[in-house]
Structures are given as structure tokens and as C-alpha cells.
Amino acid sequence: MNSTPSSRIHSLERLYVQLAQPIWDYPFVAILLVAELALGAIIIAKVPYTEIDWIAYMEEVDFWLDGEYDYRKIYGNTGPLVYPAGFLYLFGFLQWWTGREIPRAQIVFLGFYVVTQAVVMALYTMVLRKLRGSMTSSTKQVSHQVWSFRIAMGSLCLSKRFHSIFLLRLFNDGPTMLVAYLSFWCFMNYKWDIGCFLFSVAVSLKMNVLLFAPGLLYLLIQASPTRTIPRLAICAITQVVLGAPFILRHPVSYLRKAFELDRQFFFKWTVNFKFLPEEVFLSKPLAVLLLALHLSLLCIYTYRLYRSRRPLSPEHILSTLLVSNFVGICCARTLHYQFYSWYFSALPYLLWRETSYSLWLKMALLGAVEFAFLTFPATPTSSLVLQAAHWAILVPCVFGTMQPGSGRIKKD
């Protein structure tokens, strides 16, 4: 007997609900990761590699391996070394492992990419599973929310620029964020000491990870005020140990160059402020204004967190870290193309968990950010689009129509 249209629709609805059950969470992630692995292999095979920093990284490693420990004298063809000691250890290992060969390095970075995606999706899945248990809607409505969040997870695989940062550029930003996300997994599982160690290791690869530090400090205090200082000591001691070979020989040189807070960037590479005149972009007043805005927004967000009294759940931990970083991104003096990797993985989460926008607007905002980072060289229009998208996401995150990390519209 042929099934009727209504019975077929009913069967599809039942399948839709069944596939939203927790048992399908990890198969869903596995499918995405297999697709990512296959796509990454195709990209490496078919798309030409673009040399930007790999040779410079290898030259900087050569100085260190030849016995140079004065950071002022370590440089590559793109300029002086400006990363902490962990960078040298990682890329020294990669130099040995790959023999400097680009195709082998790309395969290693494909591994970095897929593992990064796996860790990020594990964070998303952890939040999804906690949320599913707290949902009181009907089964069908819960299924809608689950599938909506899975759309967010699927969007993690759609960025052309994010793929290229790992696979076609070999920037150190990728492995840096992998270690940072591993530390987040520890925090969300309440493994604070191990998490602090990994967080500090990530900082030793590239100090952009410090943008997460205000959120982490708040969480450490919330978790245990009496354990905050010892846990911060873990971060500090890790930096001292990793940097010891350089600190013991040339301490001022190491601290001055590895953590170069006053580094001046070139206007031609900025992605987010190309609509400004160059003299304004380089001016001291703009730097001071952005710093003041950054600190002000962090204070507002921290006060909102304190007022909300959110319990220390995995969702609250992830939200606090990601919003803290995104505040820094929006107030950054400049963003370069590889900096996209600092926060791309957070954008779907922030849109789906921290805003009440429609699905179409969420996707449009993701598309706007991607458009800006795919526009090369950046133009005044692309920078304005990026700024508009950033602030459309940030305002509800900081000021909020929603409770921090709650996923529900706040009722005043």
C-alpha cells in the first residue's frame, strides 16, 4: 500500500525529532569532521600555497638553534621575532618534523585544523547537552532548538578564510588557538589548574590569547576566590619556565620583544579600519580611545555578569571567555587577515547563545564578517561592513537582551 503524503510528512517529522536526540550528537560531529578532513585534503592538493610567514618562522628558529638567545638579534625576512618562547619550541619541532618542506607542513596543519574543529565542536556539544536537559518546551520545540544549534556548528565548516589560514598560510595563530580551546575544555570540566597551565602555554605561542584573560580572571574568582592567586601563579610560572633560557641570558630583550604591547602595525594590512585616513589610524588619540572603550565594555560586561549571578556552568564559562575575547577584537587597533582565527570559532556561538536575532540575520552577520576577511586588499566598504557586523553582535553580548550565556530572552 502506498503511503499518503500526510503519513510521509509524519515519518519525516518523527525522524527529525529522533535525530535531535543526544545519541546523535557525536555522529553529527563525526560527519562534519570527516567532511572537513576530506575538504582539507582537496584544498591542499588543488589550491596553490601562498608564502607569507613560514620562511620567516624557519629563519627565526635557525637563530635560536644556532645558539642565539637575545631576542633583539632574532629575526626573519618579515622582521624581528615578536612571539614568546613557546613559538620557537613549536616551530623548532615542526622544522625537524617536516624538514622545512611545505607539503609536509600543510599535512601537519591539516591535523591542527581538524583537531581544532573537533575541540571547538566538543565545547559546543557540551553546551548543547547541558541546554537540552534544561529545556522545558515540547519535544518538537526542543528539536527545533537542537537543530538550530547544529546549524551553528555546521557553520564552523563554511569559512574559506579560516581554512586558508591553517592550510594555505601556515600561520602560528592556528595552533595557538587549538591550545587555547583545549584549556577551555578543561575549564568547562572544572579542571582549573590544568586549564591555567594550557592557557599559559597558548599565551607562550602568541599573546593574543591574553584577550581572554579578563573573562578567565572573573571565572577563577567565581570558582574559588582563595584559589585564584595560586592558579594565576600557575600561569606565571609556566611563562617563566618556558622563557627561562632567554630570561636568564637577556631578560629585558626577551620581555620587551616577546610581549611587545606597543607594537606598531602597518595601515596597508588593516582589515577593520581601512575607512580611516592613515594619519588617524596611526594616531595616539585613536589608540587611547580604543583602549578606553575596551576597558569600559569589559567593566560593563563584568558588572552584568555579577548582577546576573549565573551558576558556574559549562555554558557560562564558555560564554564569559568568548565575550571577553570578542570585546578585545571589536576594540582592536587593527585586525590582520590571520587574526580571524582568534574569534571565527566563537561567532556562531555568540550569535546563537547571546543574541535573539532571527536565523537569517545570524547567517547574514556571519556572511558579512566572512565577506570582509575575503576582501583583499581591504577597502573602506569592507571595513565598514566588518565594523557594523562586529558591533551588531557585540552590543547584545555586552548590554544584552539576554542573560549572559542563558540562550533565553531576558524578561524585565
Side-chain angles (χ1 to χ4, degrees):
M1 181 181 296
N2 294 329
S3 59
T4 64
S6 61
S7 65
R8 288 196 295 269
I9 292 174
H10 181 71
S11 297
L12 290 174
E13 288 179 345
R14 188 168 53 216
L15 180 63
Y16 176 81
V17 171
Q18 288 176 345
L19 292 178
Q21 298 303 308
I23 193 174
W24 294 104
D25 287 346
Y26 292 114
F28 175 78
V29 170
I31 291 170
L32 293 179
L33 293 177
V34 169
E36 284 283 62
L37 182 61
L39 177 60
I42 293 171
I43 291 172
I44 291 173
K46 299 296 184 180
V47 183
Y49 165 79
T50 302
E51 171 55 41
I52 297 179
D53 279 341
W54 175 259
I55 291 176
Y57 292 166
M58 295 298 100
E59 290 172 345
E60 290 161 354
V61 167
D62 284 339
F63 274 97
W64 168 56
L65 294 178
D66 288 341
E68 182 59 72
Y69 287 87
D70 186 346
Y71 254 57
R72 292 172 300 181
K73 299 178 182 178
I74 300 177
Y75 57 88
N77 63 4
T78 58
L81 175 60
V82 292
Y83 309 123
F87 162 85
L88 288 174
Y89 304 147
L90 172 63
F91 279 86
F93 171 78
L94 291 177
Q95 184 186 100
W96 168 79
W97 185 260
T98 65
R100 299 175 184 261
E101 296 179 10
I102 297 298
R104 293 183 65 181
Q106 286 182 283
I107 293 172
V108 174
F109 271 77
L110 174 57
F112 285 149
Y113 176 81
V114 173
V115 175
T116 299
Q117 292 289 66
V119 174
V120 170
M121 290 182 191
L123 303 182
Y124 276 61
T125 301
M126 191 182 304
V127 170
L128 175 60
R129 294 200 151 201
K130 293 292 183 182
L131 292 174
R132 189 190 276 113
S134 66
M135 293 175 183
T136 58
S137 307
S138 67
T139 301
K140 191 171 182 179
Q141 289 175 323
V142 169
S143 299
H144 289 333
Q145 294 180 63
V146 169
W147 279 109
S148 177
F149 200 66
R150 285 180 179 172
I151 290 173
M153 296 173 67
S155 69
L156 292 168
C157 307
L158 300 180
S159 172
K160 179 179 178 181
R161 179 61 69 188
F162 193 56
H163 283 90
S164 71
I165 289 169
F166 277 85
L167 306 179
L168 303 177
R169 307 294 187 271
L170 308 183
F171 288 121
N172 66 320
D173 304 75
T176 297
M177 294 310 301
L178 168 57
V179 180
Y181 291 134
L182 286 170
S183 75
F184 295 177
W185 184 90
C186 292
F187 296 141
M188 292 168 69
N189 283 280
Y190 311 111
K191 302 178 185 296
W192 297 99
D193 293 351
I194 299 174
C196 286
F197 167 72
L198 289 174
F199 185 86
S200 190
V201 170
V203 172
S204 79
L205 297 175
K206 192 165 186 175
M207 70 175 193
N208 69 281
V209 179
L210 290 174
L211 291 177
F212 296 99
L216 177 57
L217 177 60
Y218 180 89
L219 293 169
L220 291 176
I221 294 171
Q222 184 178 0
S224 175
T226 60
R227 290 287 299 158
T228 298
I229 297 301
R231 285 165 176 162
L232 291 176
I234 291 174
C235 297
I237 291 170
T238 301
Q239 289 301 313
V240 171
V241 171
L242 290 172
F246 305 91
I247 295 172
L248 292 174
R249 293 173 172 85
H250 302 280
V252 175
S253 173
Y254 178 74
L255 296 174
R256 174 69 180 80
K257 300 301 293 184
F259 301 94
E260 193 175 23
L261 297 176
D262 59 346
R263 184 181 177 189
Q264 185 79 318
F265 292 98
F266 293 112
F267 176 69
K268 68 177 180 178
W269 298 121
T270 186
V271 179
N272 57 329
F273 277 120
K274 216 47 179 290
F275 55 86
L276 293 177
E278 184 171 2
E279 59 272 17
V280 175
F281 172 81
L282 297 173
S283 68
K284 187 72 172 180
L286 178 64
V288 172
L289 175 63
L290 291 172
L291 177 59
L293 182 60
H294 187 184
L295 295 176
S296 298
L297 290 170
L298 285 176
C299 288
I300 293 169
Y301 183 63
T302 301
Y303 177 72
R304 181 170 165 240
L305 289 175
Y306 175 75
R307 286 290 302 274
S308 69
R309 307 285 185 176
R310 295 287 299 171
L312 201 62
S313 65
E315 179 187 14
H316 170 59
I317 292 170
L318 186 58
S319 293
T320 301
L321 290 167
L322 297 185
V323 173
S324 173
N325 178 67
F326 192 55
V327 169
I329 293 294
C330 291
C331 299
R333 176 80 169 269
T334 188
L335 295 177
H336 291 182
Y337 288 94
Q338 65 268 35
F339 296 2
Y340 193 28
S341 62
W342 299 1
Y343 72 106
F344 165 73
S345 300
L347 290 176
Y349 182 91
L350 295 177
L351 281 164
W352 264 258
R353 297 305 306 153
E354 298 292 329
T355 79
S356 55
Y357 296 143
S358 69
L359 175 61
W360 298 112
L361 183 53
K362 291 170 184 175
M363 298 304 294
L365 289 171
L366 287 176
V369 177
E370 182 76 9
F371 160 78
F373 275 94
L374 287 178
T375 302
F376 180 83
T379 65
T381 299
S382 68
S383 291
L384 285 170
V385 168
L386 182 63
Q387 292 285 359
H390 276 177
W391 287 92
I393 300 169
L394 184 67
V395 168
C397 289
V398 173
F399 295 94
T401 57
M402 303 175 74
Q403 295 284 4
S406 71
R408 291 188 296 274
I409 297 175
K410 180 180 178 182
K411 296 180 180 179
D412 293 318

